[in-house]
């Protein structure tokens, strides 16, 4: 273990309660059989009572009220004929009703299936086909999305609508309003390994896979994330990320397990982020990918550092952003790595001692970098990251209805991340790219990440995405989509000249496309698939056709 690695979580490390981190107390307070949501909610309700757990718009739930809401929501599900193990599809934006339904499922032993609110057509049809939900709970503004579901796909036999729906809805829906909460039901007979949610991946290499997340996995997300972020009892956790993804959902568990308040905003706003953080007296924030860059791009203000935010998650934030972000806002960004299938596996120091890396391997996990035959590679050599958890059910249990994909991903009993990673001799892990994003150009492997970092070092560049386009010679050509800083201008050839001497000649892009905006996911990640599928657009500059020769 390196000096920066998180300490082992054992009862021997837990001292007096006053000096013990809340996450360590929670780990001791909930032995393995108790790492299920009904037990966690009930016990924390007894401990914290009238302390506020959730703030969402005008809604405030105390710890005690949240336990009551979960039990009453479960009764509403029972009244609708939902049984333990049934799937409940949930298409809803960041609002209390999302959590109400999720908690009811978790209390009963049903399985919540959150759906990305942007999905339509084939993607939405696939989720219904794969998960076969017994109930659909949909926010009124997304009811029309059901019309895009393929006619051959069977929709759930019952639908609850959140809010006032349009006068006409898809006739295939047997719809009624979300029922009011009344009576409560006892918690179901739930085990830590039981699936609490099926979260769908982006499906970039094929149909989206439904990740089966056990009850205990969300418990461990709450423990490990709190440890990485240095969360303290009484903190105010402030997120604008969508609840249908892991990050915002597990932040709720962080608040629940650590005696904190969870503030859920509808969506990320670069212009309104700091005002909202001040309004809520937030102490911990959650930023991914381009979000930190977007905040830095806002006009400087006299109140930039007038807030209580002590730390923010900064996974995927470019390394050159960390220092100016800390200098301007006074907030260190925490490097980290996790996935829907795994947990908060890697975490950096606060502030980061190597910005932009994945950080160090956290206690509780094992990691290897392997070649195509699953043989371990030495430090400094890139390969696929494979992972194991030491705690039972700290990782997902597989992909719903896709046994072949599950076996493939958990080959040799290690989870294969699909990420190309390097472990440095000092214990830092560095993300290189997705295995599928590695570009093969004329016999050479090109790391999209390394090319992106080179281009992002140009002061006029705000964003960059490197992706492959087909070559006339077979294999790939390197393409770059460039987003400029406001008020800046560059010619495509300037990008080429900037890369020369910084990366290998064969990795320098042939194609350059200056864009006014990047296609982004709800988490602020660039949708490279959109750029790849667009191919050679009319605004794509071709270095070879322009007659620009590389200086070697």
């Amino acid at each position: 273990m390196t000096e920066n690695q998180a300490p082992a979580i054992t009862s021997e490390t837990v001292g007096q309660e006053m000096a013990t981190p809340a996450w360590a107390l929670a780990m001791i307070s909930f032995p393995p059989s108790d790492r299920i949501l009904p037990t966690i909610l009930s016990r924390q309700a007894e401990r914290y009572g009238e302390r506020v757990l959730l703030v969402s718009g005008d809604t405030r739930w105390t710890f005690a009220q949240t336990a009551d809401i979960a039990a009453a929501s479960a009764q509403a599900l029972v009244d609708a004929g939902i049984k333990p193990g049934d799937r409940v599809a949930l298409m809803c934006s960041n609002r209390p009703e999302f959590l109400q339904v999720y908690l009811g499922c978790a209390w009963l032993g049903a399985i919540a299936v959150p759906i990305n609110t942007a999905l339509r057509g084939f993607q939405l049809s696939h989720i219904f086909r794969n998960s076969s939900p017994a109930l659909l709970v949909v926010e009124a503004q997304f009811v029309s999305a059901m019309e895009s579901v393929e006619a051959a796909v069977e929709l759930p036999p019952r639908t609850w609508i959140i809010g006032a729906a349009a006068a006409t809805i898809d006739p295939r829906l047997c719809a009624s309003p979300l029922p009011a909460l009344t009576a409560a039901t006892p918690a179901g007979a739930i085990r830590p390994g039981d699936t609490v949610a099926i979260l769908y991946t982006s499906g970039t290499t094929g149909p989206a896979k439904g990740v089966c997340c056990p009850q205990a996995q969300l418990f461990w997300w709450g423990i490990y994330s709190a440890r990485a972020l240095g969360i303290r009892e009484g903190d105010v956790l402030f997120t604008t990320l969508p609840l249908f993804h892991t990050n915002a959902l597990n932040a709720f568990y962080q608040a629940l397990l650590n005696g904190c308040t969870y503030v859920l905003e509808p969506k990320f706003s670069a212009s309104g982020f700091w005002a909202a953080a001040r309004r809520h007296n937030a102490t911990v924030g959650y930023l991914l990918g381009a979000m930190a860059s977007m905040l830095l791009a806002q006009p400087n203000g006299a109140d930039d550092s007038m807030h209580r935010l002590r730390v923010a998650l900064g996974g995927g934030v470019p390394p050159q952003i960390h220092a100016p972000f800390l200098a301007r806002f006074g907030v260190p960004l925490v490097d980290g790595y996790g996935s829907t299938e795994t947990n908060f596996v890697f975490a950096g120091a606060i502030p980061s001692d190597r910005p932009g890396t994945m950080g160090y391997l956290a206690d509780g996990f094992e990691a290897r970098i392997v070649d195509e035959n699953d043989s371990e590679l030495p430090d400094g050599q890139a390969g696929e990251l494979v992972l194991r958890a030491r705690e039972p059910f700290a990782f997902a249990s597989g992909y719903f209805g896709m046994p072949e994909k599950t076996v493939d991903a958990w080959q040799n009993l290690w989870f294969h991340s699909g990420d190309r990673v390097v472990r440095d001799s000092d214990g830092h892990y560095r993300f290189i790219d997705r295995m599928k994003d590695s570009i093969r150009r004329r016999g050479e492997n090109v790391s999209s990440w390394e090319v992106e970092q080179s281009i992002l070092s140009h002061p006029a560049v705000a964003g960059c995405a490197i992706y492959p386009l087909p070559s006339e010679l077979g294999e790939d050509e390197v393409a770059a989509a460039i987003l400029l800083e406001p008020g800046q201008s560059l010619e495509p050839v300037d990008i080429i000249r900037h890369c020369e001497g910084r990366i290998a000649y064969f990795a320098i892009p042939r194609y350059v496309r200056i864009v006014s905006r990047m296609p982004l996911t709800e988490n602020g990640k660039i949708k490279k698939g959109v750029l790849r599928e667009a191919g050679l657009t009319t605004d794509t500059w071709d270095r070879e056709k322009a007659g620009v020769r590389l200086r070697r």
Side-chain angles (χ1 to χ4, degrees), residues 13-223:
T13 65
V14 179
Q16 297 299 315
E17 183 166 336
M18 292 294 291
T20 303
W23 58 263
L25 288 173
M27 192 280 295
I28 297 299
S29 299
F30 294 96
S33 61
D34 292 346
R35 292 164 187 167
I36 57 176
L37 193 77
T39 301
I40 298 169
L41 268 177
S42 299
R43 197 167 297 167
Q44 297 301 77
E46 292 176 2
R47 179 171 186 179
Y48 294 113
E50 296 309 303
R51 179 179 293 185
V52 174
L53 172 58
L54 170 71
V55 175
S56 179
D58 295 330
T59 299
R60 302 286 188 277
W61 292 351
T62 66
F63 278 77
Q65 287 172 330
T66 305
D68 292 340
I69 288 167
S73 177
Q75 181 62 58
L77 293 169
V78 170
D79 293 342
I82 301 302
K83 305 179 298 297
D86 284 348
R87 275 79 63 201
V88 176
L90 179 55
M91 194 172 192
C92 178
S93 61
N94 281 10
R95 51 189 294 165
E97 292 90 344
F98 185 112
L99 285 170
Q100 174 183 312
V101 174
Y102 172 85
L103 295 175
C105 290
W107 188 275
L108 174 63
I111 301 171
V113 184
I115 299 175
N116 187 322
T117 56
L119 297 188
R120 300 292 186 274
F122 171 79
Q123 296 168 307
L124 192 56
S125 302
H126 167 69
I127 290 177
F128 284 123
R129 187 185 294 113
N130 178 245
S131 63
S132 299
L135 171 68
L136 166 65
V137 184
V138 58
E139 189 176 348
Q141 65 172 314
F142 304 118
V143 170
S144 61
M146 300 307 136
E147 297 173 5
S148 71
V149 175
E150 296 168 359
V153 174
E154 187 174 348
L155 290 174
R158 181 175 297 208
T159 297
W160 289 345
I161 298 179
I162 300 170
T168 58
I169 61 175
D170 192 310
R172 292 179 292 171
L173 298 178
C174 179
S176 60
L178 180 73
L181 301 184
T182 54
T185 189
I190 300 166
R191 298 171 299 177
D194 290 346
T195 300
V196 68
I198 299 174
L199 303 179
Y200 280 84
T201 64
S202 59
T204 52
T205 58
K209 298 186 289 290
V211 181
C212 297
C213 301
Q215 292 260 354
Q217 185 191 16
L218 273 297
F219 168 87
W220 284 113
W221 266 113
I223 297 294

Side-chain angles (χ1 to χ4, degrees), residues 505-519:
Y505 74 91
F506 58 78
I508 295 174
R510 170 181 171 179
Y511 299 112
V512 176
R513 184 182 175 195
I514 308 294
V515 299
S516 58
R517 57 182 296 181
M518 289 285 191

